[in-house]
Amino acid sequence: MLTIPNPSISSAKIAPTLIPIYSVEDQSIFGYELKENLFLENILNEIDNSFFNLAFSKLAESKFQNNIFINISVEELITDFENSIGLHSKIKKQISDLGLKSENIFLIIHDRNGNQRLDDLLTAVEFAKELGFKIVLDGLGEEAYNLERLAALKPDIIRINISFLNKSNQGREFKSILAYLSDLSLSTGLALFFEGITTESQLHIALNSGTRFLQGNLLGEEIKEYLPLQGNVKIRKELFETFHQYKRKKITEEISFETKLLDSLEATNIIIKKIGSNVLIDAQSIFKISPAIKRVYITEWDGTQVSAYYEREGESGFKENKSSLDKNWSYLPFFYKHVKKAFRNQEQWHMSEPYFDHSLNEKLIVFSKIIEGRLSIFIDIACE
């Protein structure tokens, strides 16, 4: 429970602790997060608001014009909705009384345990949005998050914390989740926000994932007093320059790796043998091209698998897995992307975007090509 200072405390001794949040697009401060949950605990529990008012008076004196990020629990958000009358909300009133605009307020929702009914939470979130607040969903990475809740809530921003970043350095599956969030951000327009960044490697992970907002001691420390900004406070330029150098080096390595594989595949005569409706592949000649080749198989033009999976086993061996014979892969997005590329040029090898394969526990790219008219060969290659 929050301890409220005695109202007699001088306002000169009261100042909010603010943590800067940086915009990657502008490479400058986008807003500040209030470190303590002073604001909403005071409002919703009807505690004496003197501390809150004194703290925010400091911002008012400084002509605070940035966005404010305020922490709120799911229970507090639902309580505010249940106690509201029409569009009259205690949160909204307190904001207005202080001369602040709701469109500059970002509510950081902590939905860590998922105990609240989704319908109740969704209604409260929609109400907050109708009042003009932006919604930040927090806590990704502290525990497995129900993606159904994520999709239903449709937050403006998803915040990913430092523990998630640390894990993403250690496990391939966490990188897969990062890739999923990155794709989700691109497809839905929601923004990613990485917090707790203290090292350049963590910064690189965040930027590589497509984050729009950053927070952490590497970028800027918390402050006790808000000072009017003299122009924009920029992120140190060298931090982005090291990322650009890292990306250029990575791209150069990827191009070299892909070009070498493509040249080797072009020079290889793919030998197959049809037996009834099935196809046998001279897999040994393909696996010897590179140790990065993990799996080879062939489908019909409609996506039906007509060969076994030929899967690498050890450094030089492979095994034949017939469990997927006659399965159809046309429902997978990569298949018709392959078809589209094949329509353009059936003579060339084509390459997919990287994806995470859970059965192999590796990040793969797929090389594919049309062979003998109606058959497509797919070669799965580890790219990390």
Side-chain angles (χ1 to χ4, degrees), residues 229-326:
L229 301 179
Q230 301 299 319
N232 287 329
V233 176
K234 297 289 185 180
I235 303 177
R236 301 202 318 268
K237 187 176 180 180
E238 65 270 19
L239 292 178
F240 279 91
E241 187 55 39
T242 57
F243 172 71
H244 295 319
Q245 290 172 1
Y246 156 78
K247 285 297 290 183
R248 292 185 191 108
K249 181 182 177 186
K250 188 80 172 171
I251 288 170
T252 301
E253 292 171 350
E254 288 173 357
I255 290 173
S256 175
F257 172 73
E258 292 161 6
T259 301
K260 184 178 178 181
L261 273 170
L262 281 171
D263 289 345
S264 298
L265 287 171
E266 290 285 2
T268 301
N269 181 27
I270 305 294
I271 301 173
I272 66 171
K273 183 178 180 180
K274 295 181 180 179
I275 302 178
S277 61
N278 294 334
V279 178
L280 300 178
I281 307 172
D282 177 14
Q284 187 64 50
S285 63
I286 297 174
F287 282 112
K288 72 180 184 181
I289 292 173
S290 169
I293 294 176
K294 300 298 180 181
R295 190 165 53 202
V296 182
Y297 60 99
I298 289 176
T299 73
E300 271 280 2
W301 185 243
D302 66 355
T304 302
Q305 187 169 327
V306 293
S307 79
Y309 268 147
Y310 294 86
E311 299 173 311
R312 180 176 292 280
E313 194 169 50
E315 292 186 8
S316 57
F318 66 90
K319 62 183 178 181
E320 213 174 324
N321 182 347
K322 296 183 179 181
S323 62
S324 295
L325 269 172
D326 298 324

Side-chain angles (χ1 to χ4, degrees), residues 24-25 140 147 150-151 154-160 176-194 206-213:
V24 173
E25 293 175 358
L140 283 172
L147 296 180
L150 173 61
K154 298 177 183 176
D156 299 286
I157 300 172
I158 297 175
R159 184 158 78 166
I160 304 167
S176 174
I177 296 172
L178 281 176
Y180 168 80
L181 292 174
S182 179
D183 290 342
L184 185 66
S185 172
L186 287 172
S187 61
T188 63
L190 65 81
L192 299 183
F193 171 5
F194 282 77
L207 292 173
N208 205 46
S209 299
T211 189
R212 286 176 57 190
F213 301 106

Side-chain angles (χ1 to χ4, degrees), residues 38-222:
L38 306 177
F39 175 48
L40 294 171
E41 224 176 316
N42 283 345
I43 298 170
L44 299 170
N45 293 328
E46 300 183 4
I47 302 173
D48 178 12
N49 288 324
S50 60
F51 186 89
F52 169 74
N53 291 329
L54 287 172
F56 266 82
S57 70
K58 289 292 184 178
L59 300 182
E61 290 169 9
S62 301
K63 298 181 179 180
F64 188 90
Q65 295 179 348
N66 285 85
N67 299 301
I68 306 173
F69 288 67
I70 301 171
N71 293 278
I72 177 172
S73 71
V74 168
E75 292 78 12
E76 288 168 333
L77 188 68
I78 292 174
T79 298
D80 182 63
F81 167 70
E82 290 174 343
N83 294 335
S84 65
I85 301 175
L87 291 179
H88 298 285
S89 149
K90 286 187 177 182
I91 299 176
K92 177 75 172 181
K93 183 178 185 304
Q94 192 78 356
I95 289 292
S96 299
D97 289 348
L98 290 165
L100 299 172
K101 297 179 179 179
S102 57
E103 56 262 34
N104 295 123
I105 304 298
F106 289 72
L107 301 180
I108 304 175
I109 299 176
H110 302 268
D111 183 27
R112 287 176 169 80
N113 53 31
N115 288 338
Q116 294 290 341
R117 288 181 57 226
L118 180 57
D119 289 347
D120 294 339
L121 177 55
L122 182 57
T123 302
V125 166
E126 290 299 327
F127 178 66
K129 288 180 178 180
E130 194 170 348
L131 296 177
F133 298 113
K134 303 292 191 306
I135 301 298
V136 182
L137 190 60
D138 190 32
L140 283 172
E142 293 187 2
E143 55 187 74
Y145 194 84
N146 187 326
L147 296 180
E148 178 189 358
R149 292 172 78 85
L150 173 61
L153 293 174
K154 298 177 183 176
D156 299 286
I157 300 172
I158 297 175
R159 184 158 78 166
I160 304 167
N161 65 27
I162 187 64
S163 65
F164 192 92
L165 281 173
N166 286 339
K167 290 176 182 177
S168 71
N169 269 322
Q170 299 165 12
R172 295 182 185 274
E173 290 194 12
F174 288 101
K175 291 185 178 181
S176 174
I177 296 172
L178 281 176
Y180 168 80
L181 292 174
S182 179
D183 290 342
L184 185 66
S185 172
L186 287 172
S187 61
T188 63
L190 65 81
L192 299 183
F193 171 5
F194 282 77
E195 67 167 332
I197 296 174
T198 59
T199 67
E200 288 191 10
S201 64
Q202 292 172 350
L203 176 63
H204 292 174
I205 290 171
L207 292 173
N208 205 46
S209 299
T211 189
R212 286 176 57 190
F213 301 106
L214 297 164
Q215 187 181 61
N217 289 339
L218 182 69
L219 308 164
E221 296 182 354
E222 62 187 41

